Amino acid sequence: MADAPALASALAPAKVNLFLHVGPLDADGYHPLASLVAFADVGDRISVAPADGLSLTVTGPFAAGLDGEGDNLILRAVRALADETGLPEPGLAFTLDKRLPIAAGLGGGSSDAGAALKLARDALNLSMDDQALAGVAALIGADGPMCLHASAAWAEGRGDRLAFEPALPPLPAVLINPGVPSPTGAVYRGYDAGPPATADRPAPPSDWSLSSVLDWLAAQRNDLQPPALALQPAIGAALQAAADLPQVRLSRMSGSGATVFALFDSEAEATLAADRLAAQRPEWWVRTTVLS
């Protein structure tokens, strides 16, 4: 009996915007932004095995949300990698275990693409470091490089100017999604209809202890939160539920929503809070995590 094809897998972690300052639309049709991003220890799971051609199978609790998406970011990223390296389309069969909600403000698609690029590089024995691979990820979207690196970083410009921040302490957190999509385009259109903010990058915290960072984050904002709330009132319910959790230090929406995060002083406090909320709102997606 022939051996089964070798299978490799990787986590595509959820991305969280700890703050998100957004400027008005520029002449090129983009919104400048400033953000501090961190990554969770929960996310989608990507696996790959040798095959006769390039393919993608989607499974998992949120697979139905991607039905009919014939040109998933995973396939686009791998084809871009082949083009950049002068290779034919590779024979790789990818499986996406879709565990993150769709249109959730967690960078799921870009993170999936980043994990797939790393798996494809290794499967094809390409001599490319992560920096070179990030150049391919940038062809898929502005947040492609940050999601490929999946490390805490300051992001500016269109989200493509990165400065890694190794001093960020691990942040005990609860992620909460009320089960509604929050399409990025509609949220930005809502933002454009209101008074413009500025893509200001705040001075860093006076020290990087957990308590100091939490106090500093509380003084920041997510400029997409008001228009997202106007479009999806369920986000407001999630924000209120997060704010009501025992021992919570900060609650805020991530990205363009609809996911809300709550930050705590300890993992034990976060776990107790998540268990309580999951019991109260079993229809919501609630996960304990550590952001770093």
Side-chain angles (χ1 to χ4, degrees):
M1 181 182 294
D3 292 337
L7 185 73
S9 66
L11 179 71
K15 178 202 74 174
V16 171
N17 296 91
L18 297 173
F19 72 83
L20 181 57
H21 299 175
V22 181
L25 199 66
D26 64 20
D28 295 324
Y30 291 91
H31 293 86
L33 60 85
S35 184
L36 180 60
V37 297
F39 288 84
D41 54 11
V42 297
D44 296 333
R45 173 65 60 173
I46 317 293
S47 58
V48 65
D52 292 334
L54 179 62
S55 66
L56 173 66
T57 301
V58 183
T59 64
F62 293 100
L66 296 180
D67 283 350
E69 186 177 301
D71 195 20
N72 184 279
L73 287 181
I74 289 174
L75 297 180
R76 289 173 55 191
V78 174
R79 290 187 179 115
L81 177 63
D83 288 343
E84 287 295 300
T85 55
L87 295 173
E89 186 171 285
L92 296 172
F94 287 91
T95 298
L96 165 60
D97 182 2
K98 188 62 185 166
R99 302 178 183 179
L100 295 177
I102 308 295
L106 297 174
S110 295
S111 190
D112 293 343
L117 283 172
K118 291 178 180 179
L119 288 169
R121 172 190 62 190
D122 296 345
L124 299 172
N125 294 313
L126 299 176
S127 57
M128 299 176 70
D129 61 15
D130 284 358
Q131 194 61 39
L133 212 56
V136 179
L139 301 174
I140 307 305
D143 60 353
M146 77 170 74
C147 288
L148 182 133
H149 290 295
S151 295
W154 301 85
E156 295 181 273
R158 299 172 184 174
D160 54 347
R161 295 207 314 267
L162 301 177
F164 297 112
E165 187 48 84
L168 183 73
L171 303 174
V174 177
L175 302 180
I176 306 160
N177 186 284
V180 297
S182 183
T184 300
V187 173
Y188 270 104
R189 287 191 292 274
Y191 169 85
D192 290 336
T198 58
D200 54 307
R201 172 174 167 172
S206 57
D207 72 78
W208 288 94
S209 65
L210 175 58
S211 183
S212 177
V213 169
L214 292 174
D215 288 340
W216 174 81
L217 283 172
Q220 313 311 324
R221 62 189 193 274
N222 180 346
D223 291 328
L224 297 184
Q225 187 168 299
L229 279 169
L231 290 167
Q232 285 288 14
I235 299 173
L239 281 166
Q240 186 61 57
D244 290 342
L245 291 173
Q247 310 302 318
V248 68
R249 290 285 303 275
L250 169 68
S251 56
R252 179 172 289 149
M253 191 185 79
S254 176
S256 56
T259 303
V260 169
F261 63 90
L263 300 181
F264 297 82
D265 286 310
S266 72
E267 292 182 50
E269 290 174 350
T271 299
L272 285 173
D275 290 346
R276 170 176 160 169
L277 182 58
Q280 293 173 339
R281 302 301 298 256
E283 74 278 18
W284 287 0
W285 181 84
V286 180
R287 294 293 184 274
T288 308
T289 188
V290 176
L291 304 177
S292 60

